[in-house]
Amino acid sequence: MASVSQSPVNLSGSLPSATSASDLLRSSINGVNGVPLKTLGRGHAEPRRKGLNIIAKVRKVKKHEYPWPQDPDPNVKGGVLSHLSPFKPLKEKPKPVTLEFEKPLMDLQKKIIDVQKMANETGLDFSDQIISLENKYQQALKDLYTHLTPIQRVNIARHPNRPTFLDHVFNITDKFVELHGDRGGYDDPAIVTGIGTIDGRRFMFMGHQKGRNTKENIQRNFGMPTPHGYRKALRMMYYADHHGFPIVTFIDTPGAFADLKSEELGQGEAIAHNLRTMFGLKVPIVSIVIGEGGSGGALAIGCANKLLMLENAVFYVASPEACAAILWKTAKASPKAAEKLKITANELCRLQIADGIIPEPLGGAHADSHWTSEQIKKAILESMDELQKLGTEDLLRHRMLKFRKIGGFQEGLPVDPEKKVNMKRKEEPRPGLISDKVLQGEVNKLKEQIMKAKESSSIDMDQNGLIEKLKQEINYEFSEAAKALGIEEKLSKMREEFAKAENEQLTSDQIENLENLKNEFNENLEMAPNYGRLKYKLGLLKEITEAKVFAENYKKTLPLKAKVNEKFKEVLEKPILKQKIENLKDEVEKSGVSGIEEFDEELKEKLLEVREEVESEFVNALESSGVHVTSKFGQGSMSVIKAKVDELNAEINQIIQDVIESTPDLKNKIEMLKLEVAKDKNTPSKESKEKIEALQQQIKEDVADVMSSAAVKEKYEQLQAELAELSGGSDGSLIKEPSYA
């Protein structure tokens, strides 16, 4: 990229004669207008002539490393762009790292190297000794890696050369496209997501990505995601769910990044949102722990139908070092903590937290990463084949039960997956302990059921249970109010008097005392501390009772409505009426009008004529079937009345506007009212309130005088007469439903 800076030039001069038009043209094509190609790259154009000075500067920019080769071969099978990701193999082989417990193996390996070196230098045959040492090395390696302690497996899971998420993805996929960003302003490199294919089958991959050296670890934040990373994963989960891509997640993190900024951005909320969402995804999910899975940072992409673990992977709620520091006050007790935590693949499978173990080569996954990736590929395909046989409901239930059964075990006995977790019978909550929010939720749920039932023309619900529950709550609130007001003691004394009475009938004095007590309670009820709750629950009872009445009435009307609809269809199918309706439709289409307001008088008369004929036939059909019709006020009449009402309202508004414009006094009052309202908008004073009310009253009286004009009264009375004529003097209903008593 070249940038050109020009000093002020005198355009009266001419360019050197050696500069051709083609040079200028070519230079403009390359993005530099009016500068000869010959001068680009030089510090100054020489020689200078007539004050013209041209300077060309070439900016040195770091070459962008694309995820494809610089000189791609077009004949590569499957295309060059099979893996679109900035991730590339390391240019240098990573340095071998020896763990503490592997040092005895290194001694044997050193002996083998020394013997081979001696054989090469002397020319003697040491093949027997070399074979013997190699057999000892393999046996020692096997003994060591088949009897690893939990803390040793933790160290292997954290090995610097252990294959990362993208190493495995590039090994197992035919094609892979990395997807970036949480659409919230950041792309967290600690979580990588993308779409890839395995043997032609598409999957959505996502996982924690650690670095392979110090530079990459700093860039990837050591595999510890921020909220942006979890929201990126959430976005890809929605994407996969929408398009039906099965999801494969790779877990390899010490935990979510717990710095101040991450907490400010909602680290806990982001993890919780992922947990909730994953239980509702309608595609199969398989999670694989390839390294260490720490706490909620791992679980945020680990709520899967199947959780698989590499042989030396670990999955924990707290690291052994953190657990040891809490319990034994020293991190040196981490081996003991690792054993007690039960964090290895074998222990977690026994506890039915993990569903399978993927084998690793002797020496760990870093000893042969390609072989390990092949085992992962095989496990993914087997698990997906099993899960894709399940329907959506079974898949969601499978995922839910996997986590519900965790913890349901007894020491010394094998875990029974069918064992019921909550064996204790739940007690019914006492009145007064049910929160208002729960009650409101049940009422809203019942209302939704009623609306859905109305749409589907069927109502089948248990409202009585909710009504009884509300009545118990209201009785409890009344009792509490009586206690608070001191009424309960008086009522108890009165009950004792009634019990002592010889006759079962109440005397006039007793009835009077009871009425006085009742009136006292009603008068002082608002002073009770729980009056607000009582009033709220009474309102809920009223709503639910009305809903019940509506449901019962609606259920009764269903047969009648079905009968009416059937008769109406029969009327419309009559040949003569059908022909008239079709002719009317053709005339409306030819006229090109879009609404009934635009019809001309002739078309309106034809419309009314056809409507009246349809209504007459419809009424006759209903009468013949035993349904008594009390009015002919139909939908067509409603549209006509509505149009006339709108027309009258518009005319009244116009009259009022004209009067305001022509009456300066009324106009001034309205302006004064606006000023008063704007002046004391937030906290109006008492004087201002009185002034506003007075102005409002005066304006209303002036407008009332306008409304009492003869022209408006005449139109209003005419509209009332038309409405009465159309409705036949009734309430405007089309049919009178029979009694079902």
Side-chain angles (χ1 to χ4, degrees), residues 16-29:
S17 58
T19 304
S20 64
S22 61
D23 283 337
L24 289 172
L25 181 60
R26 288 196 298 274
S27 65
S28 66
I29 291 171

Side-chain angles (χ1 to χ4, degrees), residues 111-140:
K111 286 181 182 178
I112 294 170
I113 292 170
D114 291 339
V115 173
Q116 287 175 341
K117 187 177 180 181
M118 189 184 297
N120 292 334
E121 289 175 353
T122 61
L124 299 175
D125 185 13
F126 292 99
S127 56
D128 292 337
Q129 288 84 346
I130 292 172
I131 291 171
S132 175
L133 287 171
E134 286 179 346
N135 288 337
K136 284 183 180 179
Y137 176 83
Q138 291 297 327
Q139 187 61 40

Side-chain angles (χ1 to χ4, degrees), residues 48-65:
R48 295 186 182 181
R49 293 189 182 183
K50 296 186 180 181
L52 181 63
N53 183 19
I54 300 174
I55 299 173
K57 294 180 181 178
V58 179
R59 251 188 324 130
K60 291 184 179 180
V61 184
K62 185 179 177 182
K63 185 180 176 184
H64 180 69
E65 294 183 354

Side-chain angles (χ1 to χ4, degrees), residues 155 161 251 317 371 517 534:
N155 292 329
N161 297 337
I251 298 170
V317 69
W371 187 86
L517 189 62
L534 175 61

Side-chain angles (χ1 to χ4, degrees), residues 624-638:
S624 62
S625 62
V627 179
H628 180 57
V629 181
T630 60
S631 173
K632 301 179 182 180
F633 189 48
Q635 191 64 32
S637 303
M638 279 299 297

Side-chain angles (χ1 to χ4, degrees), residues 156 161-163 168 290 310 312 360-361 363-370 372:
I156 296 171
N161 297 337
R162 193 169 177 85
H168 288 304
I290 58 174
L310 287 181
N312 295 316
E360 290 183 33
H366 53 280
D368 190 349
S369 60
H370 288 278
T372 307

